[in-house]
Amino acid sequence: MISISQKIKVAVSNLLRSQMELDAEDYGLKSLSDLCNRILARYADFTPPDPTRISADDTLYKNVPPLQFSLNQAGESFANFANSFTKNAGTKIAPLCRYYFECYVNMPRGRRECFIFRNELDKLTAAAESRTNVSLTYRGERKCVSPCFLAFSPSQVRAYVVVCDDKVECAAAGARFHSLRLCHIRGVAPDTASKAFHCENFELSHQAEVFREHFDPFLCYGQSVKVKLTEEGATRYNKLTTNRPKVIAKDGTGYAEVDGAGAYTFECSEKLAKVYFPQFLSGADILEPRELRLWFKEQFEKAAGVYKGI
């Protein structure tokens, strides 16, 4: 019999353990034990196991540290189910837990993020459907926003919620939209009496649909950055694929690839440019917009100051 607060030890494969460790760290969870409990608390979301196919043989995992955790209060329903299942199937609790952990890891990473943060996601989805606003905490900062839609990174490894903020002083409609990583959202509180910010006028509503159709985590569509690349910079661009912006022109002419030194225009937001191009050092010269060029100038001057006097 299993009960709340009881310590459970589960033998697992190295791949399963490494994937769960990666998720726990990426999602900012307290511990691997926290992740185990969150998975088992939602056991009913998975297909019920076939008692004849749950293996109790742990010899395959003898060289891998087992997962160890204590079942918390949220796992009471799982405990009741597990006690009945193991009694009727004549199996132990550890293989049953392993079955659910394997079901979890077999989902795409973006879907796993939605699974773990289902409570917050349900509130955000409900607000988007009812076109109302919510207050939430994102990376420690309290915000009032209107959720627009859920989206995934191109590789389906991260989940995002695109929102519109309440900053009416923004000149450009696109500047009011933000892509928030789902796993960093906490404390969603719906304001059911409000009207969604992005439904205030046609321009905002249209912009939300444009971002839905052309989603990327940095909301680059409709924005551009002009960059002069050296030969070394061009080579680096073709190697650094993570968060790489799409090229749309070279020396003022429509273009689809970087094939050497030149002045390129990229479909790129300033936020993405600040993440992607600093790694080019002198291989990339930011030309436009001017405010972004000045930002790079200031950052590299600060970096140069660190090495003065050497």
Side-chain angles (χ1 to χ4, degrees), residues 36-229:
C36 291
N37 272 288
R38 286 173 181 251
I39 295 170
L40 296 181
R42 305 193 68 90
Y43 77 95
D45 290 1
F46 295 113
T47 302
D50 180 348
T52 64
R53 303 190 67 178
I54 292 186
S55 173
D57 184 6
D58 293 346
T59 57
L60 293 174
Y61 318 116
K62 62 182 180 180
N63 295 323
V64 182
L67 296 175
Q68 300 185 64
F69 60 98
S70 296
L71 198 64
N72 63 21
Q73 195 64 43
E76 183 175 3
S77 177
F78 172 75
N80 294 333
F81 163 77
N83 288 330
S84 174
F85 181 89
T86 54
K87 180 180 179 180
N88 295 330
T91 187
K92 296 181 179 180
I93 186 65
L96 180 62
C97 291
R98 182 166 60 240
Y99 166 81
Y100 285 111
F101 295 155
E102 288 173 346
C103 287
Y104 167 78
V105 167
N106 285 336
M107 291 192 292
R109 284 202 67 203
R111 295 296 176 184
R112 300 206 300 258
E113 188 171 347
C114 292
F115 177 86
I116 294 301
F117 297 95
R118 175 63 61 187
N119 291 340
E120 303 297 343
L121 179 58
D122 285 346
K123 296 175 186 177
L124 293 164
T125 302
E129 292 175 349
S130 62
R131 298 186 176 184
T132 54
N133 300 317
V134 302
S135 59
L136 55 81
T137 300
Y138 187 69
R139 296 184 180 272
E141 181 183 352
R142 199 67 183 168
K143 298 175 179 288
C144 185
V145 299
S146 62
C148 301
F149 58 88
L150 172 72
F152 296 93
S153 62
S155 54
Q156 298 286 308
V157 299
R158 292 184 171 185
Y160 296 88
V161 178
V162 173
V163 303
C164 179
D165 66 29
D166 58 350
K167 296 178 173 57
V168 295
E169 68 276 9
C170 290
R176 292 184 59 180
F177 290 85
H178 310 276
S179 179
L180 308 184
R181 181 82 189 277
L182 176 60
C183 66
H184 297 309
I185 297 175
R186 301 286 189 274
V188 177
D191 180 3
T192 56
S194 63
K195 181 180 179 181
F197 299 130
H198 68 284
C199 296
E200 291 174 355
N201 56 55
F202 173 78
E203 185 180 12
L204 289 172
S205 297
H206 176 68
Q207 188 65 64
E209 290 306 311
V210 167
F211 282 139
R212 184 197 297 269
E213 184 177 353
H214 303 279
F215 175 78
D216 74 87
F218 291 89
L219 303 182
C220 294
Y221 187 78
Q223 301 184 68
S224 63
V225 171
K226 190 172 183 180
V227 183
K228 184 178 180 180
L229 297 178

Side-chain angles (χ1 to χ4, degrees), residues 14-34:
N14 185 63
L15 176 61
L16 188 149
R17 183 183 178 89
S18 63
Q19 286 294 306
M20 290 182 62
E21 288 176 337
L22 178 65
D23 284 1
E25 180 179 1
D26 188 28
Y27 300 159
L29 301 181
K30 297 176 182 177
S31 63
L32 192 55
S33 176
D34 185 13

